Amino acid sequence: MNFFTLDRDPTIKQLLISLDTELSGIDSCVDADFATDSKAIFLRHRDNAGMCAYIYTVGQRDNRYGVQLEFPPENGPVLAMETYENIGYNALKDILMVHLDLAEAGVPPN
């Protein structure tokens, strides 16, 4: 995927480019069709569409991100969510690795 062609703010494009160099499979998680603010992006787990991450820079300090993690309902229609505000790049990358089951580039997945 060419992240430069996305209709997103340069901060989101740069984030995706950085993640793409460090994580295997991030490009297949990007849901570019999901309507968001230009300063946000929606990512979906490759094998479980209910596992999602909404990443945004709106209302965050410089070089910081907000992320809302969504989990599929296990015992009914209630969607579980976690939200983190003003986190740095490395913390965001670690969260996405776990939530979306992504491996570091060059490392085979478990």
Side-chain angles (χ1 to χ4, degrees), residues 57-68:
T57 58
V58 177
Q60 307 303 300
R61 296 188 311 256
D62 288 344
N63 299 312
R64 297 291 178 168
Y65 307 93
V67 62
Q68 180 177 328

Side-chain angles (χ1 to χ4, degrees), residues 33-46:
D33 296 327
F34 189 84
T36 66
D37 185 280
S38 68
K39 293 184 177 186
I41 194 73
F42 201 77
L43 306 179
R44 293 186 185 277
H45 191 286
R46 295 172 303 226

Side-chain angles (χ1 to χ4, degrees), residues 1-6 13 17 27:
M1 168 179 279
N2 183 349
F3 299 119
F4 290 108
T5 63
L6 293 175
K13 291 179 186 181
I17 291 166
D27 59 332

Side-chain angles (χ1 to χ4, degrees), residues 45-90:
H45 191 286
R46 295 172 303 226
D47 300 322
N48 183 348
M51 296 286 283
C52 308
Y54 179 73
I55 304 167
Y56 51 95
T57 58
V58 177
Q60 307 303 300
R61 296 188 311 256
D62 288 344
N63 299 312
R64 297 291 178 168
Y65 307 93
V67 62
Q68 180 177 328
L69 304 177
E70 296 181 7
F71 300 86
E74 290 186 25
N75 298 315
V78 178
L79 183 69
M81 292 186 228
E82 289 180 17
T83 302
Y84 300 89
E85 296 279 334
N86 285 306
I87 60 174
Y89 173 79
N90 288 328

